[in-house]
Amino acid sequence: MELFQAKDHYILQQGERALWCSRRDGGLQLRPATDLLLAWNPICLGLVEGVIGKIQLHSDLPWWLILIRQKALVGKLPGDHEVCKVTKIAVLSLSEMEPQDLELELCKKHHFGINKPEKIIPSPDDSKFLLKTFTHIKSNVSAPNKKKVKESKEKEKLERRLLEELLKMFMDSESFYYSLTYDLTNSVQRQSTGERDGRPLWQKVDDRFFWNKYMIQDLTEIGTPDVNFWIIPMIQGFVQIEELVVNYTESSDDEKSSPETPPQESTCVDDIHPRFLVALISRRSRHRAGMRYKRRGVDKNGNVANYVETEQLIHVHNHTLSFVQTRGSVPVFWSQVGYRYNPRPRLDKSEKETVAYFCAHFEEQLNIYKKQVIINLVDQAGREKIIGDAYLKQVLLFNNSHLTYVSFDFHEHCRGMKFENVQTLTDAIYDIILDMKWCWVDEAGVICKQEGIFRVNCMDCLDRTNVVQAAIARVVMEQQLKKLGVMPPEQPLPVKCNRIYQIMWANNGDSISRQYAGTAALKGDFTRTGERKLAGVMKDGVNSANRYYLNRFKDAYRQAVIDLMQGIPVTEDLYSIFTKEKEHEALHKENQRSHQELISQLLQSYMKLLLPDDEKFHGGWALIDCDPSLIDATHRDVDVLLLLSNSAYYVAYYDDEVDKVNQYQRLSLEDLEKIEIGPEPTLFGKPKFSCMRLHYRYKEASGYFHTLRAVMRNPEEDGKGRAVNLTKTLLVSDLKTKVLWPRERIF
């Protein structure tokens, strides 16, 4: 559709339809396309895909109109329904007098041979208004009292920061999805058992997952049939659609390809092998939505934080099978003060005060899903125990026969990163899985229904939860495919199908994690590959640290934007946060200095689990690679993680652009020849830092080395002391190799 900018309105037009948005008060009007002739000097800015809605980022700030600037086709669901992902948005200020550079695709009708839209020529009234405004601002600046000017600047800064968070929500995470013909908010079962009437799509949606409901409220209140064209219900969450081929003759070499994205040849052209479509749809609730340390537990309406309904959908021929699970925060009043790494959870209300709101939550859940099987994955000892105990007490007080409680201490059972032990859980609940069934529909109607759901949770309902949900969903999918005759009764899922399936669930976990915690899911490498690897452990450490940083510095603004999208008043004083920006910057610098120690602590704890029993862990360090042939010597971020055991050392290379370890080496201490300490090698100028060089043999050949230096705690350090201490640690770690330690050798 075309977007026009006139003196007093923005005008969206497609065919004979037009939607006018006032630039004075933000009001929306449906008008015939021919009314464009009545607008003052309308200029076509380009093409957009649709309307998301309006938002006012602060009561002191103007309204903004949000449009879909660019979309990407995710795939097609059964019935040839296209599902799209919002990849870019356009945000129009309803107070700007000058046209904005929106970088829209230009329409051929109005911009034939033109690369950029032309500028609007201001009317004489506009020129007078701009001159008057400039004179007014100038007089204010020259006045003794500059308080208003200061306030104006603060408003502009606040608007810029909130707008930045809004753009990131839509464009960086790519977590908003829509379909013009399919109801993404409702599962197959709810759609098949609901009323089949002539109501428009937006009136049939599940209110819990209609994310832009408040932003598009002005349109829904118009009440005429013509408005239906302009209303696009959106979900926040995740959608991936793939076609899989059941082929047991595939070469196992396919497993060696990158697990990050499915191979292009995943869709087989050989009609001999049965194929099926699989889709994963996760819908985040708009109720109690927000960031991890800002939204925990239950609220006074019975809504819980990070509530997500995930539907796994399979389509074979004319049969569609659906299985639904949910996740959500433990429904008691609890919180974590997020200004330290991994803060201790605490209960905010007593057991008696919590009962009514716990009941409200599960009464709604049982009304929707009929039966619930709780899978509680929190630790049954340590700091998480207080939350797990409170949960169990509330379940016992609720005392409902339709509610089943299962506790599985994930960390205890999967100690040593043996995440395959999750099968212990799926084996234990196998009969429950079969009894729950799944939704099965064909062209004639409903064949069977899913009777209840699994409600899975850990503390954040992210990493552990995703691993367990993927395991349960896999058991269900294998049963479904065997029922349909797509898989032989005694065969597991084929290698290539299994790999793509794992990738889909890992992508799902990463997406939900970014929306709630700001970074990708920990343990994602296991969900992708079924195997826990060193690189995944390193990535987890960095993601944990990133979550800490995001919580400390950015969550307040992101939470404010989420609340405003849902029409919830912002209770936090954003101006007070914003005016302390310098303090935040100082905290950020402090965080950067402690960041390396944090990673080191994480690595030590992970390595204790990683190393085999016959290998003793001695320490882990976050270091800088000083080799000028590999990296700029002024680089200050972590790019090497050094880990030491009694028989080997590991050098893992971290790429902060993609936020993960992309390669690592394991080197036997028997091959370590010598350790040198000296000035950092530089291509130009005088060396500023001391560092160490580890010389080693590779395939019995000498001449290989790593040149590393420590991260500085303060600018005055040259790193020499830390390099010496680190070298001493290497030397006294019960090493069996001969190590030469030259005194202050210069290289």
Side-chain angles (χ1 to χ4, degrees):
M1 61 185 67
E2 299 159 322
L3 172 65
F4 294 88
Q5 181 173 10
K7 176 188 173 184
D8 297 323
H9 293 86
Y10 285 110
I11 303 168
L12 289 160
Q13 187 165 309
Q14 183 165 335
E16 298 179 356
R17 301 180 177 92
L19 177 66
W20 288 46
C21 180
S22 171
R23 299 177 65 191
R24 303 296 183 187
D25 59 13
L28 297 174
Q29 286 182 303
L30 300 179
R31 298 175 67 166
T34 53
D35 278 7
L36 185 65
L37 299 172
L38 305 177
W40 179 277
N41 190 28
I43 299 296
C44 180
L45 300 179
L47 299 175
V48 295
E49 299 292 342
V51 181
I52 296 174
K54 295 190 311 178
I55 190 171
Q56 187 179 26
L57 296 175
H58 197 277
S59 58
D60 297 335
L61 300 173
W63 284 87
W64 292 79
L65 178 65
I66 310 173
L67 306 172
I68 305 170
R69 175 156 66 99
Q70 194 174 97
K71 66 180 181 181
L73 178 65
V74 176
K76 293 184 179 181
L77 291 172
D80 211 32
H81 298 288
E82 291 188 349
V83 178
C84 296
K85 173 171 60 178
V86 177
T87 56
K88 291 183 181 178
I89 62 170
V91 183
L92 304 176
S93 172
L94 300 181
S95 66
E96 294 287 342
M97 298 307 298
E98 289 296 315
Q100 301 162 66
D101 186 9
L102 303 174
E103 300 180 357
L104 300 180
E105 179 186 348
L106 302 182
C107 70
K108 295 179 181 179
K109 181 172 32 173
H110 298 99
H111 299 283
F112 182 76
I114 301 175
N115 293 325
K116 290 187 177 180
E118 55 188 300
K119 290 190 176 182
I120 294 176
I121 301 172
S123 68
D125 291 340
D126 288 342
S127 300
K128 291 178 182 178
F129 175 78
L130 291 172
L131 180 62
K132 182 179 178 182
T133 302
F134 176 77
T135 306
H136 179 67
I137 292 174
K138 188 176 179 182
S139 64
N140 273 348
V141 172
S142 59
N145 186 357
K146 298 182 179 180
K147 183 177 179 181
K148 290 185 178 179
V149 176
K150 183 180 178 181
E151 289 177 353
S152 177
K153 288 182 178 179
E154 286 183 349
K155 288 180 185 178
E156 289 177 3
K157 288 181 180 179
L158 179 60
E159 184 176 40
R160 192 161 54 246
R161 174 51 84 58
L162 292 173
L163 187 59
E164 178 184 309
E165 289 300 323
L166 176 68
L167 291 169
K168 285 180 178 179
M169 274 192 67
F170 279 93
M171 294 165 66
D172 286 2
S173 64
E174 295 188 351
S175 60
F176 288 89
Y177 299 81
Y178 70 94
S179 173
L180 299 178
T181 58
Y182 186 85
D183 183 3
L184 287 176
T185 69
N186 273 306
S187 66
V188 170
Q189 181 158 315
R190 289 199 296 273
Q191 291 185 52
S192 62
T193 56
E195 296 180 10
R196 300 187 178 217
D197 53 32
R199 289 183 301 163
L201 182 66
W202 68 270
Q203 291 182 358
K204 300 177 183 179
V205 297
D206 190 321
D207 183 74
R208 297 175 296 167
F209 309 119
F210 187 177
W211 254 77
N212 57 328
K213 179 181 178 180
Y214 175 78
M215 291 188 288
I216 212 160
Q217 188 173 352
D218 284 4
L219 282 177
T220 59
E221 290 176 350
I222 290 178
T224 62
D226 292 342
V227 79
N228 299 331
F229 173 80
W230 301 99
I231 300 174
I232 303 175
M234 288 191 175
I235 64 167
Q236 187 190 34
F238 175 77
V239 181
Q240 187 169 343
I241 304 169
E242 299 288 343
E243 186 179 53
L244 305 186
V245 180
V246 180
N247 182 1
Y248 289 97
T249 63
E250 292 172 318
S251 170
S252 60
D253 291 342
D254 289 336
E255 275 191 294
K256 298 178 182 178
S257 61
S258 170
E260 292 299 324
T261 55
Q264 295 298 315
E265 70 273 14
S266 61
T267 302
C268 183
V269 296
D270 187 355
D271 292 332
I272 296 174
H273 304 294
R275 67 187 64 214
F276 63 96
L277 180 141
V278 60
L280 205 56
I281 304 172
S282 281
R283 315 167 174 102
R284 285 177 59 81
S285 174
R286 66 185 184 89
H287 302 303
R288 196 154 176 74
M291 305 306 291
R292 179 169 63 155
Y293 289 114
K294 296 294 182 180
R295 293 291 181 270
R296 291 289 208 190
V298 71
D299 66 12
K300 292 187 177 180
N301 295 314
N303 300 310
V304 295
N306 199 25
Y307 183 89
V308 182
E309 180 187 82
T310 299
E311 179 179 21
Q312 181 175 279
L313 187 151
I314 290 173
H315 183 73
V316 183
H317 304 304
N318 295 321
H319 296 266
T320 301
L321 296 86
S322 158
F323 184 74
V324 172
Q325 302 178 77
T326 63
R327 68 178 76 189
S329 191
V330 174
V332 299
F333 290 95
W334 67 281
S335 61
Q336 285 177 286
V337 180
Y339 288 92
R340 51 170 292 184
Y341 175 70
N342 195 19
R344 185 176 294 276
R346 68 185 185 191
L347 294 175
D348 298 325
K349 288 186 182 293
S350 69
E351 180 182 297
K352 186 177 180 180
E353 291 174 305
T354 302
V355 169
Y357 309 106
F358 182 93
C359 292
H361 173 71
F362 274 107
E363 283 169 0
E364 182 196 41
Q365 294 298 296
L366 293 175
N367 182 53
I368 297 170
Y369 301 108
K370 309 309 177 189
K371 295 179 183 179
Q372 293 253 307
V373 178
I374 296 169
I375 307 290
N376 184 16
L377 305 175
V378 303
D379 296 349
Q380 295 175 24
R383 62 197 306 156
E384 296 183 2
K385 186 176 187 297
I386 186 175
I387 304 301
D389 288 350
Y391 198 178
L392 178 57
K393 287 178 182 177
Q394 291 295 329
V395 170
L396 294 174
L397 290 170
F398 189 55
N399 192 25
N400 190 301
S401 60
H402 297 298
L403 195 65
T404 303
Y405 181 88
V406 178
S407 182
F408 181 79
D409 190 328
F410 186 96
H411 287 147
E412 178 63 29
H413 286 86
C414 302
R415 187 177 297 277
M417 281 162 293
K418 302 291 186 182
F419 292 165
E420 61 272 18
N421 290 348
V422 168
Q423 187 174 344
T424 305
L425 172 63
T426 55
D427 288 346
I429 62 173
Y430 185 75
D431 290 341
I432 299 177
I433 296 173
L434 295 184
D435 290 342
M436 191 173 287
K437 304 177 186 176
W438 51 79
C439 176
W440 185 351
V441 299
D442 64 6
E443 291 178 330
V446 180
I447 296 173
C448 77
K449 295 181 181 180
Q450 182 175 337
E451 299 177 358
I453 60 163
F454 288 101
R455 185 199 190 278
V456 187
N457 74 273
C458 50
M459 291 296 283
D460 298 329
C461 303
L462 295 176
D463 313 318
R464 290 172 275 181
T465 296
N466 202 66
V467 170
V468 169
Q469 284 195 333
I472 294 172
R474 175 175 169 159
V475 172
V476 172
M477 184 171 73
E478 289 183 346
Q479 290 297 318
Q480 291 171 333
L481 294 176
K482 289 171 183 176
K483 282 278 187 183
L484 292 168
V486 176
M487 274 177 58
E490 302 302 323
Q491 289 279 5
L493 202 62
V495 171
K496 186 178 285 188
C497 288
N498 186 53
R499 188 177 73 249
I500 298 173
Y501 173 80
Q502 288 173 326
I503 290 168
M504 292 177 71
W505 271 96
N507 291 342
N508 177 68
D510 283 351
S511 185
I512 294 172
S513 181
R514 287 191 182 98
Q515 293 157 27
Y516 188 51
T519 62
L522 310 184
K523 306 172 183 66
D525 61 317
F526 176 80
T527 314
R528 291 180 191 279
T529 65
E531 183 179 353
R532 196 73 171 118
K533 297 181 179 180
L534 175 62
V537 178
M538 304 305 169
K539 181 178 178 180
D540 280 5
V542 175
N543 281 344
S544 292
N546 281 354
R547 288 183 184 178
Y548 166 74
Y549 166 78
L550 288 168
N551 164 64
R552 191 167 185 176
F553 295 102
K554 296 186 177 180
D555 278 5
Y557 301 105
R558 178 65 61 90
Q559 185 64 55
V561 170
I562 293 171
D563 287 344
L564 291 165
M565 287 174 67
Q566 304 308 324
I568 301 171
V570 177
T571 56
E572 197 161 3
D573 187 353
L574 296 177
Y575 277 121
S576 68
I577 296 174
F578 201 82
T579 54
K580 294 178 181 178
E581 193 66 33
K582 290 183 179 179
E583 179 184 339
H584 281 198
E585 289 175 2
L587 289 172
H588 177 38
K589 291 177 182 178
E590 177 189 342
N591 178 68
Q592 285 180 317
R593 289 193 293 269
S594 63
H595 188 61
Q596 318 308 329
E597 295 178 10
L598 175 61
I599 294 176
S600 180
Q601 293 169 11
L602 290 167
L603 292 178
Q604 289 184 49
S605 61
Y606 279 123
M607 285 297 292
K608 289 176 184 176
L609 300 175
L610 178 71
L611 296 178
D613 294 337
D614 60 346
E615 206 167 308
K616 185 179 179 183
F617 176 60
H618 285 283
W621 298 268
L623 304 173
I624 305 296
D625 192 329
C626 302
D627 191 336
S629 66
L630 299 177
I631 198 163
D632 180 1
T634 62
H635 189 72
R636 298 297 176 89
D637 292 332
V638 174
D639 55 274
V640 168
L641 302 168
L642 178 65
L643 304 136
L644 176 68
S645 75
N646 64 321
S647 58
Y649 73 92
Y650 299 77
V651 178
Y653 294 90
Y654 169 64
D655 185 344
D656 60 2
E657 289 295 319
V658 295
D659 192 22
K660 67 178 182 181
V661 168
N662 54 21
Q663 60 176 316
Y664 70 92
Q665 292 175 272
R666 182 189 184 278
L667 298 159
S668 170
L669 293 180
E670 296 291 338
D671 293 324
L672 183 63
E673 295 183 318
K674 61 182 175 181
I675 304 174
E676 298 176 323
I677 297 178
E680 179 183 37
T682 58
L683 297 176
F684 305 101
K686 185 179 179 180
K688 294 182 179 180
F689 305 105
S690 295
C691 59
M692 70 175 181
R693 179 171 286 173
L694 306 176
H695 291 262
Y696 64 93
R697 293 187 303 273
Y698 179 68
K699 294 184 178 179
E700 303 303 319
S702 299
Y704 297 90
F705 57 85
H706 294 109
T707 306
L708 311 169
R709 71 168 171 84
V711 180
M712 301 302 102
R713 286 197 178 99
N714 60 66
E716 289 73 34
E717 285 186 355
D718 67 356
K720 179 179 176 181
R722 300 192 72 190
V724 171
N725 289 336
L726 181 54
T727 306
K728 287 180 179 178
T729 305
L730 289 167
L731 289 170
V732 301
S733 297
D734 193 25
L735 309 184
K736 297 179 181 179
T737 185
K738 290 178 64 177
V739 180
L740 305 178
W741 186 20
R743 301 179 64 182
E744 301 297 315
R745 177 170 297 191
I746 307 296
F747 27 76

